[in-house]
C-alpha cells in the first residue's frame, strides 16, 4: 500500500482522511501491524483502483500481469499513456523484427 500511496504523492494522513480512518490506523495497515476489516479493505481497493487480491498479494494465474495491472491503475494518467505507448512499440518491434 505504501508504494501505491507514494506513487500518487500522498501522505498517510491524506489517504486516511479519504477512507474515514485515523492516520495511525492507516500507518499500521502499511506496516502490516494491523489488517483492515472487509469494509475498509474494499474502500482501499476502490481508492487505489486495485483488487483485493493485489493488495493481499494473492497469487493468480496471470502472475505478473495482475500485479502490473494494479500498478498501472495507480499511476498518473500521463504515465499510463507512456507505458501503453511503450508496450505498443515493443509489440510492434517484436512482431516485425526480422
Amino acid at each position: 500500500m505504501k508504494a501505491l500511496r507514494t506513487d500518487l504523492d500522498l501522505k498517510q494522513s491524506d489517504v486516511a482522511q479519504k477512507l474515514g480512518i485515523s492516520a495511525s490506523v492507516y500507518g499500521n495497515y502499511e506496516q502490516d501491524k494491523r489488517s483492515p476489516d472487509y469494509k475498509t479493505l474494499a474502500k482501499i481497493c476502490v481508492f487505489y483502483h486495485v483488487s483485493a487480491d493485489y493488495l493481499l498479494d494473492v497469487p493468480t494465474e496471470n502472475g505478473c500481469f495482475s500485479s502490473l495491472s494494479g500498478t498501472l491503475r495507480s499511476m498518473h494518467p500521463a504515465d499510463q499513456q507512456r507505458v501503453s505507448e511503450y508496450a505498443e512499440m515493443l509489440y510492434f518491434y517484436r512482431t516485425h523484427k526480422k
Side-chain angles (χ1 to χ4, degrees), residues 1-11 26 30 48:
M1 287 182 4
K2 182 177 181 178
L4 293 169
R5 177 180 57 78
T6 57
D7 284 348
L8 296 172
D9 293 325
L10 296 171
K11 295 184 244 174
Y26 181 81
E30 280 193 4
Y48 286 122

Side-chain angles (χ1 to χ4, degrees), residues 38-85:
Y38 294 116
K39 196 173 184 180
T40 305
L41 178 62
K43 287 181 183 180
I44 295 169
C45 291
V46 169
F47 180 79
Y48 286 122
H49 306 287
V50 297
S51 70
D53 286 350
Y54 176 78
L55 282 181
L56 298 172
D57 201 23
V58 175
T60 62
E61 285 183 34
N62 295 337
C64 69
F65 293 111
S66 177
S67 176
L68 178 61
S69 177
T71 301
L72 286 171
R73 284 191 292 262
S74 70
M75 294 173 80
H76 186 276
D79 293 332
Q80 290 174 348
Q81 181 62 34
R82 286 187 198 111
V83 170
S84 175
E85 289 168 359

Side-chain angles (χ1 to χ4, degrees), residues 21-42:
I21 58 177
S22 73
S24 63
V25 168
Y26 181 81
N28 284 331
Y29 294 159
E30 280 193 4
Q31 297 170 25
D32 286 329
K33 293 181 179 177
R34 186 172 174 181
S35 297
D37 59 26
Y38 294 116
K39 196 173 184 180
T40 305
L41 178 62

